[in-house]
Amino acid sequence: MSVPGLTIMALSAVLVLFMLCRCGMAIAGREHKCEIGSCKTIGSREVQEDFFSVTKSSEGLLAVLADGMGKELGGKIAARKIVEVFEELFGEYNALDHPFYFFQKAFQTANREILKLFDDERGSAVASAVMLQESPRHGEFPMMYYAIVGNVKLAVFRNGELIPVGNGHTVNVLAQDKYYNGAITREDALALLHTTRVYNYIGRDNFKDIEFYDTPVQLRKDDIVVLMSDGIYEGMEWKELEEYLGQRAGCRQTAFDVVEHINQKKGAKDNASIVLIKVGELL
């Protein structure tokens, strides 16, 4: 490709990046202010298969990030369908009264809808979702409920440390579980230690495995809830991500900076998306 062609592509990528980052904003819940920033990049792929949304109600908020997989546009369609289902059910269903049942209903509904669209497994996706609910005790910070299918990572940044929440559904995690349960040998588990292939996803027959919270996470002031696709956490060191989150540049700017860091990497790059939710002051 000619140099002018490359220049046009680079400028287009920057323009898209700025457009995608404009969704960073501040929202007010019933008692606490939450700052939100989000950004994504197509990387070097031909299709953007990452979709996310943040939806607010009078009781709290819902954030969901889906990463599509499949042939042609199948992954893109599947990921978008998951986000649409979550948004729709959150609007019509009293989700925060029963978070566990909401997550279960949303994932199962999304799975059925994707199977209706594709009868040949042409489209599927992985996703994570969190709900932040105001504590019933006045003055306490929100509680976080979550559910994970696949390898969209969820973490909480607190006191300079990014703490993973949940394990996800990758082969290395499955191998560890089977080893601890005595189902496979230590040698077999070690052989699979670095295998991060996803074994569970939305858009399959007999879908049932969802990783739910054991107990809700009590958030604190200045905690940052982080949802990210594998294009983020495989495209940069965990320590680098902690450094960006610790700069206190605001969620919108931080999300942009993280994605720009991914874009500057050499070589092939996956779709990469990040959503940040920072817990603020009591209103």
Side-chain angles (χ1 to χ4, degrees), residues 56-89:
K56 181 176 71 75
S57 75
S58 60
E59 299 297 322
L61 65 81
L62 166 75
V64 56
L65 194 164
D67 181 358
M69 307 178 295
K71 303 173 184 177
E72 299 175 347
L73 297 178
K76 178 177 181 176
I77 295 170
R80 184 170 57 194
K81 175 58 66 176
I82 291 170
V83 172
E84 290 173 351
V85 167
F86 268 84
E87 288 180 325
E88 181 179 350
L89 291 179

Side-chain angles (χ1 to χ4, degrees), residues 135-153:
S135 171
R137 297 181 180 179
H138 182 76
E140 287 193 357
F141 289 92
M143 307 294 289
M144 183 183 78
Y145 303 85
Y146 67 87
I148 301 169
V149 174
N151 65 345
V152 173
K153 282 196 182 296

Side-chain angles (χ1 to χ4, degrees), residues 15-91:
L15 178 61
V16 170
L17 189 60
F18 270 102
M19 291 174 65
L20 291 168
C21 283
R22 74 178 189 271
C23 58
M25 59 183 291
I27 67 169
R30 186 176 62 189
E31 294 183 349
H32 289 91
K33 183 178 181 180
C34 289
E35 180 190 354
I36 297 175
S38 52
C39 199
K40 64 181 176 180
T41 178
I42 195 171
S44 53
R45 297 293 184 90
E46 294 183 357
V47 178
Q48 174 58 267
E49 296 181 317
D50 288 357
F51 282 85
F52 56 71
S53 73
V54 180
T55 307
K56 181 176 71 75
S57 75
S58 60
E59 299 297 322
L61 65 81
L62 166 75
V64 56
L65 194 164
D67 181 358
M69 307 178 295
K71 303 173 184 177
E72 299 175 347
L73 297 178
K76 178 177 181 176
I77 295 170
R80 184 170 57 194
K81 175 58 66 176
I82 291 170
V83 172
E84 290 173 351
V85 167
F86 268 84
E87 288 180 325
E88 181 179 350
L89 291 179
F90 190 70

